Every structure is written in C-alpha cells, then in structure tokens.
Amino acid sequence: MTAIRLLLVDDDPLVRAGLSFMMGGADDIEIVGEAADGGEVEALVDRTRPDIVLMDIRMPTVDGLTATERLRARTDAPQVVVLTTFHADEQVLRALRVGAAGFVLKDTPPAEILAAVRRVAAGDPVLSPTVTRQLMRHAVGTAADTRRARARARMAVLNDREREVAVAVGRGLANAEIATGLFMSVATVKTHVSRILAKLDLNNRVQIALLAYDAGLLDEEHTEQEEPEGH
C-alpha cells in the first residue's frame, strides 16, 4: 500500500512536533516535510510532492488562507486540510471557498485527525453534515442576495439529475447514501460528481455544497421534505 504523503504547516513548533509524532506513527502516512509559514509552502510542495497539506490558518507572514489559494490555483495541487481552533470561523469558510477539502479542529482527538487525512486522500469530504450546516449558516450575510443570484446562474448549467446530486452533496451525504436515495449506482454518483465539478469549475465536494447552499437549493430541499402530503 502506498503511504499518504503529508506536509505539515504550522507556525507553532510544539504543534508541528505533536502532529509529526502522532501522524508519523501511522503505517499508511509519511511526513514528507514541515513548514512554519505559508510562504514556505509552494517551494516545499515542489520539492516533496505531498498528497495532503495539513495547514494552519493563522500564521504571521503568509497565512494559511493565502497559501491555500495559491496552492489550489496550481494544476498539480495537493489537497489541503486546514487546521483551526474555531469551526464556524469566517477564515475557515473562505479557505473552503478557495478549495480546501475540509478542516479539523486543533483539539480534535488524534484518531479523528488521522481519519480526516485518510478520507481526503481517498477523495471524500471531511465535514460532517452538522458542521457543514453550521458553516453554511455562518456564510449568510449582507451580500446573500447577490451571492444567491450568482450561484443560481452558475448552477443553471447542470441538468436535473446533476442538480439532485449537487443537493445531496450539499446535505453532506456520502456517495453510497446518495446512490440509495436517488436509486443509482455508486459509480454513477461518482460520475455525476465529476461532471458537476467540471461544469462548475470547482475543486471538491465542499465547494459543491457551498454553491448549492448559496443558490438556495438546500432551503428548497428542506421545504419540499417538510411540506405535508397533498400539497
């Protein structure tokens, strides 16, 4: 089995040491490098070729948001999982919008951080439906109407089936759950997700979820599910 190549980025040497000790003890994870600031990340990625970058958001010179945005703009970008102390932080939301695959809290139990890295390496999101909803509610602001109009215009390129899959992704469902709910195979779900990502020029499922929320599709889904029979 090929080990997951992991790059650690945090300005606190004690945090890096703890993460390195914890993650390096797993048979399927290889720590390929460490950085103390976001400005070091691109050169390290070129040199070490990680699969996943575990990235602190708050760093003194170049923060994790800027570093994530720079990385995700590359054609050969590794996946990024952001580290934070708050789960409903505006910077976390911005990191997800620019392409981070998810986030983990710094006080998350070690086994869960390991599981998050493995899930991202396997192509799965690392946000639970509950946390996803919390973040999305946090996104609502003064520009909500403008954002909704723009999101609806982007989502208009999807066909009906792709729209259904996008809504299911937005609800935080895994591929197997989507397949069961929409009466299709897991392989077909994966194909639809790939097409959605390509059509909307997105990096990952988290961005699909955020766009579906911005477009108001999750509100519509919730209303349809709660509407009494006969209406």
Side-chain angles (χ1 to χ4, degrees):
M1 180 177 61
T2 302
I4 300 166
R5 298 174 62 81
L6 182 67
L7 175 64
L8 302 176
V9 185
D10 196 296
D11 64 319
D12 187 333
L14 291 178
V15 172
R16 292 200 310 276
L19 288 170
S20 182
F21 177 78
M22 175 183 68
M23 310 296 279
D27 294 337
D28 59 339
I29 293 178
E30 177 186 0
I31 307 297
V32 296
E34 298 181 16
D37 188 79
E40 305 170 24
V41 172
E42 287 192 272
L44 266 176
V45 165
D46 288 337
R47 188 161 70 247
T48 63
R49 299 294 175 183
D51 301 305
I52 308 288
V53 178
L54 196 56
M55 180 97 70
D56 186 23
I57 285 187
R58 293 175 174 82
M59 290 179 284
T61 306
V62 176
D63 62 29
L65 174 64
T66 301
T68 297
E69 189 167 13
R70 290 174 180 174
L71 278 184
R72 295 306 301 171
R74 298 163 54 126
T75 56
D76 58 346
Q79 295 291 344
V80 177
V81 177
V82 295
L83 283 166
T84 183
T85 52
F86 300 101
H87 67 256
D89 182 89
E90 179 63 26
Q91 286 188 304
V92 174
L93 188 67
R94 289 174 61 197
L96 297 175
R97 289 192 184 281
V98 299
F103 73 91
V104 291
L105 300 178
K106 286 191 175 183
D107 60 357
T108 298
E112 292 183 23
I113 296 180
L114 284 168
V117 169
R118 290 171 178 139
R119 286 180 62 184
V120 170
D124 293 327
V126 295
L127 301 180
S128 70
T130 299
V131 172
T132 300
R133 285 193 295 271
Q134 286 179 307
L135 273 171
M136 289 178 183
R137 282 197 296 269
H138 185 70
V140 177
T142 57
D145 289 342
T146 300
R147 189 168 57 240
R148 173 165 294 199
R150 290 175 178 171
R152 283 182 177 271
R154 291 185 67 186
M155 297 289 285
V157 302
L158 303 182
N159 61 38
D160 290 344
R161 203 56 162 162
E162 290 164 348
R163 180 186 172 107
E164 289 177 331
V165 172
V167 170
V169 170
R171 291 171 55 207
L173 301 182
N175 286 341
E177 295 171 313
I178 296 172
T180 299
L182 296 180
F183 305 101
M184 60 177 71
S185 69
V186 172
T188 301
V189 173
K190 291 180 179 178
T191 298
H192 281 307
V193 170
S194 296
R195 288 176 180 167
I196 293 167
L197 291 171
K199 283 187 174 183
L200 300 177
D201 192 25
L202 300 175
N203 289 307
N204 55 49
R205 296 167 69 102
V206 175
Q207 289 183 319
I208 294 176
L210 288 169
L211 190 60
Y213 179 83
D214 285 348
L217 299 184
L218 303 188
D219 294 338
E220 293 171 5
E221 177 76 5
H222 182 70
T223 300
E224 290 170 3
Q225 288 179 348
E226 290 191 347
E227 189 172 348
E229 293 184 8
H231 289 73

